[in-house]
Amino acid sequence: MVTTAQTETLSRSRATRRAMFEREIHPLMDRLYGTALRLSRNPDDAEDIVAETVATAWKKLDQLTDNTCFEGWLFRILNHTFISQWRRRQCRQEKEIALEDNGNEGSFSLFERLHQPFLLWWGTPEQSFLNQILSKDIRKALDQLPDEFRIVMVLVEIQGYSYQETAELIGIPLGTVRSRLYRARTLLQRDLWQQGQDAGLTTDGSSETDTGGKA
């Protein structure tokens, strides 16, 4: 039999837990939505993902033993929520995706275009080049990546998951993560380079070739 004192203690515990939950989750809502939008590319889907994430987090709050880990724990729930929805959608569409073996695009590197092949792909002067492109254009280029490539790009490059963690989260082999990330970087660099050319921020190198021919 539950006593009045036990009922009051339980009530206070729930109130304390709710206060902590609301305090911690409120400043993260914009980031949750932004991440969901990067993953889903659809505002309505992003809202659904965030809503389901919050509901799931509240239901499983007792599983969180360390409140200092709340943020990471919450974003893991969001990622799992998105992956689950994405998988269900893929099953409904009943389509096979064979993107790993499709190499029609070929490799592409901004380093080679900038004549700095020894630099890491987010290094200088590539970073200087990217800084000249509006952030909305970078987001646009990312959003245009096929789902399989965009998801690993967001998880690894934006959220900071390791290759192994990404493989486990999505449910694909580690080698597939590496392959998709390489292809994602190639496609993204190609798109950003084209945007830079369209904006007059860089040249395509044809003038150098033409000059050499005339000489």
Side-chain angles (χ1 to χ4, degrees):
M1 180 177 179
V2 179
T3 65
T4 301
Q6 290 175 325
T7 301
E8 292 177 349
T9 299
L10 180 61
S11 179
R12 286 195 298 270
S13 175
R14 288 175 176 172
T16 300
R17 186 175 63 166
R18 176 177 291 276
M20 183 281 294
F21 184 82
E22 294 177 350
R23 181 179 66 253
E24 295 292 334
I25 203 169
H26 180 72
L28 298 174
M29 290 301 293
D30 287 344
R31 286 180 53 201
L32 287 171
Y33 177 77
T35 300
L37 186 60
R38 288 280 74 75
L39 288 167
S40 67
R41 296 187 296 187
N42 183 290
D44 292 335
D45 288 346
E47 291 180 359
D48 290 342
I49 291 170
V50 172
E52 185 173 339
T53 297
V54 173
T56 300
W58 173 248
K59 291 177 183 177
K60 296 183 176 182
L61 189 59
D62 289 339
Q63 299 178 13
L64 180 66
T65 58
D66 184 355
N67 291 345
T68 62
C69 299
F70 182 85
E71 180 177 336
W73 175 74
L74 187 64
F75 275 90
R76 283 194 295 274
I77 292 176
L78 181 139
N79 289 326
H80 281 289
T81 299
F82 166 76
I83 295 299
S84 296
Q85 291 189 6
W86 179 68
R87 284 176 177 168
R88 290 196 296 268
R89 185 177 295 111
Q90 294 289 68
C91 291
R92 288 197 300 268
Q93 291 174 344
E94 295 181 348
K95 65 179 182 180
E96 293 184 359
I97 300 171
L99 296 172
E100 271 66 49
D101 297 328
N102 182 3
N104 294 332
E105 299 90 350
S107 61
F108 183 93
S109 173
L110 282 177
F111 314 123
E112 296 176 0
R113 299 287 175 152
L114 296 172
H115 309 291
Q116 296 289 346
F118 55 88
L119 296 173
L120 292 175
W121 85 281
W122 279 122
T124 305
E126 187 172 20
Q127 187 64 61
S128 298
F129 169 80
L130 293 176
N131 286 340
Q132 297 180 66
I133 301 177
L134 295 176
S135 59
K136 66 178 181 181
D137 294 326
I138 297 178
R139 291 195 299 269
K140 179 181 177 181
L142 180 61
D143 289 345
Q144 288 176 343
L145 291 176
D147 283 354
E148 287 69 30
F149 301 150
R150 188 189 70 261
I151 292 170
V152 296
M153 193 73 172
V154 171
L155 293 175
V156 174
E157 298 291 1
I158 296 179
Q159 297 198 50
Y161 282 88
S162 68
Y163 290 6
Q164 185 62 49
E165 289 170 334
T166 300
E168 294 172 356
L169 180 61
I170 302 178
I172 60 177
L174 180 61
T176 303
V177 171
R178 296 181 186 277
S179 174
R180 291 184 180 182
L181 188 60
Y182 173 80
R183 292 284 306 287
R185 288 169 170 172
T186 296
L187 291 171
L188 185 61
Q189 290 182 68
R190 185 189 299 276
D191 196 348
L192 292 176
W193 178 261
Q194 185 60 55
Q195 290 185 38
Q197 287 185 303
D198 294 342
L201 297 177
T202 182
T203 62
D204 60 8
S206 60
S207 60
E208 296 180 6
T209 302
D210 294 341
T211 301
K214 291 180 182 179

